[in-house]
């Protein structure tokens, strides 16, 4: 009986392969992989090729010029102004999103009549398209003649301000902040829902004041979602274009010309596809460097 059992055990297939059979999934995944490669890699390679060519839409065909486009790019003062404007835009919107997003999330986390409606209204601006948001702020709010802000300033005895002429970058930051604060509010409000209320109750019973509870319990709990907000918003804001195009066209002068808008100017205003491609490759490199640092920071924060 023991010998038979041993024989059966020896000849029986492994438990892992009895009920299932290993299937090669590569043939099923291969079409999707090919499509993704064609969708992403080929345009990138084409852009890289154009960046080493003198490709002017007004005087075709394209001719190879080595790295001359990159030399012009890095010696052009407008490139560094565009990089500075991009950094200012990203930092300004991130600061507004984190500060106001945290405050609004804390307020909406309390129970009060009409809480559901208030949450919906607080998140709604995020779903407004960028050109529509830009037109609303440009014509209905910030216009010195017919805008709501100008009317309030007139009532207060002040002279209305032409925001897009006097403070163009501030105006662009305000519009993008209006769109991205709801996103930060949504992420942080969701994180607050998972906060252990027993900790807050214990701190309250121990005599901790509201600011102390906020500093030592709530804000440490929000560090992880805040890092995610920083990563996602930074990636999207580096490609900010629609609001600038709709409101300031990169001006006055180059006051609101970001790196993305500089690529647009070189490609469709100057008709220089080669210079625009070089700027595009440079923007891709900068974005990937930033993404690597942000992803590492978020992963360290999540592991902690």
């Amino acid at each position: 009986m023991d010998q038979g059992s041993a024989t059966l055990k020896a000849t029986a297939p492994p438990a892992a392969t009895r009920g299932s059979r290993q299937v090669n999934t590569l043939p099923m995944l291969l079409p999707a992989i090919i499509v993704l490669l064609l969708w992403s890699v080929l345009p990138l390679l084409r852009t890289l090729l154009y960046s080493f060519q003198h490709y002017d839409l007004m005087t075709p065909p394209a001719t190879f010029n080595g790295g001359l486009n990159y030399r012009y790019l890095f010696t052009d003062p407008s490139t560094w102004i565009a990089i500075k404007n991009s950094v200012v835009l990203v930092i300004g919107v991130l600061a507004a999103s984190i500060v106001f997003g945290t405050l609004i999330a804390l307020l909406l986390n309390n129970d009060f009549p009409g809480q559901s409606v208030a949450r919906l209204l607080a998140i709604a601006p995020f779903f407004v398209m960028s050109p529509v948001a830009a037109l609303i702020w440009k014509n209905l709010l910030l216009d010195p003649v017919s805008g709501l802000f100008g009317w309030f300033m007139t009532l207060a005895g002040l002279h209305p301000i032409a925001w897009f002429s006097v403070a163009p970058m501030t105006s662009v930051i305000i519009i993008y902040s209006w769109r991205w604060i709801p996103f930060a509010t949504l992420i942080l409000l969701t994180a607050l829902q998972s906060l252990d209320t027993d900790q807050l109750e214990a701190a309250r019973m121990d005599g901790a004041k509201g600011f102390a509870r906020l500093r030592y319990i709530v804000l440490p709990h929000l560090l992880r979602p805040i890092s995610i907000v920083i990563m996602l918003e930074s990636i999207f804001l580096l490609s900010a274009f629609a609001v600038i195009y709709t409101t300031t066209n990169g001006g006055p002068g180059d006051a609101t010309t970001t790196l993305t808008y500089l690529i647009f100017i070189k490609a469709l205003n100057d008709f220089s596809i080669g210079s625009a491609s070089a700027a595009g490759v440079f923007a891709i490199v900068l974005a990937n460097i930033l993404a690597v640092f942000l992803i590492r920071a978020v992963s360290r924060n999540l592991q902690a």
Side-chain angles (χ1 to χ4, degrees):
M1 199 68 179
D2 294 336
Q3 266 183 328
S5 300
T7 305
L8 288 173
K9 288 180 181 179
T11 57
T17 60
R18 285 177 192 169
S20 62
R21 185 180 61 179
Q22 291 185 354
V23 178
N24 185 12
T25 59
L26 182 60
M28 293 182 287
L29 294 176
L30 194 59
I33 295 173
I34 293 174
V35 170
L36 288 175
L37 288 176
L38 294 176
W39 182 266
S40 59
V41 176
L42 283 185
L44 178 61
L45 293 177
R46 193 71 174 178
T47 302
L48 188 62
L49 174 64
Y50 286 154
S51 68
F52 289 96
Q53 293 180 338
H54 175 71
Y55 184 9
D56 194 328
L57 292 178
M58 304 300 292
T59 58
T63 56
F64 180 77
N65 67 353
L68 212 55
N69 291 325
Y70 291 97
R71 181 174 143 190
Y72 289 152
L73 177 69
F74 295 130
T75 56
D76 187 0
S78 61
T79 302
W80 306 107
I81 295 175
I83 294 174
K84 184 199 74 173
N85 291 337
S86 300
V87 172
V88 170
L89 176 63
V90 172
I91 293 177
V93 177
L94 283 178
S97 298
I98 293 170
V99 173
F100 291 102
T102 303
L103 292 176
I104 297 173
L106 290 172
L107 291 174
L108 294 178
N109 194 44
N110 299 316
D111 293 328
F112 57 89
Q115 182 189 49
S116 301
V117 177
R119 288 181 176 180
L120 178 62
L121 293 176
I123 298 171
F126 179 67
F127 300 100
V128 179
M129 292 183 293
S130 294
V132 177
L135 290 174
I136 291 173
W137 279 88
K138 180 180 180 180
N139 299 318
L140 299 180
L141 297 176
L142 297 181
D143 189 271
V145 178
S146 59
L148 185 62
F149 288 8
W151 181 65
F152 283 144
M153 295 181 71
T154 303
L155 290 179
L158 302 175
H159 186 69
I161 298 175
W163 289 89
F164 293 104
S165 299
V166 177
M169 181 55 75
T170 302
S171 304
V172 173
I173 289 175
I174 289 174
I175 298 173
Y176 273 112
S177 299
W178 180 76
R179 287 203 67 241
W180 284 99
I181 287 174
F183 174 78
T185 301
L186 179 62
I187 299 297
L188 298 177
L189 180 60
T190 304
L192 286 174
Q193 303 296 313
S194 63
L195 179 61
D196 189 3
T197 56
D198 293 338
Q199 294 183 10
L200 294 174
E201 188 62 28
R204 188 182 296 109
M205 293 178 64
D206 289 339
K209 302 298 182 182
F211 181 76
R213 296 196 300 269
L214 175 66
R215 179 181 177 183
Y216 294 105
I217 298 177
V218 177
L219 290 182
H221 179 75
L222 293 179
L223 284 180
R224 293 179 181 179
I226 285 176
S227 62
I228 294 174
V229 168
I230 291 174
M231 182 183 68
L232 295 178
E233 288 195 12
S234 298
I235 293 172
F236 279 100
L237 289 170
L238 284 175
S239 60
F241 174 80
V243 170
I244 298 172
Y245 178 77
T246 308
T247 55
T248 63
N249 282 321
D254 50 12
T256 56
T257 299
T258 60
L259 192 55
T260 305
Y261 200 82
L262 181 66
I263 296 171
F264 166 77
I265 292 175
K266 290 182 177 295
L268 297 181
N269 285 7
D270 300 339
F271 303 107
S272 179
I273 302 301
S275 298
S277 299
V281 172
F282 179 57
I284 292 171
V285 172
L286 289 181
N288 279 275
I289 292 174
L290 178 62
V292 167
F293 282 108
L294 290 174
I295 290 173
R296 286 184 178 180
V298 170
S299 62
R300 283 197 300 266
N301 198 357
L302 292 176
Q303 289 174 1

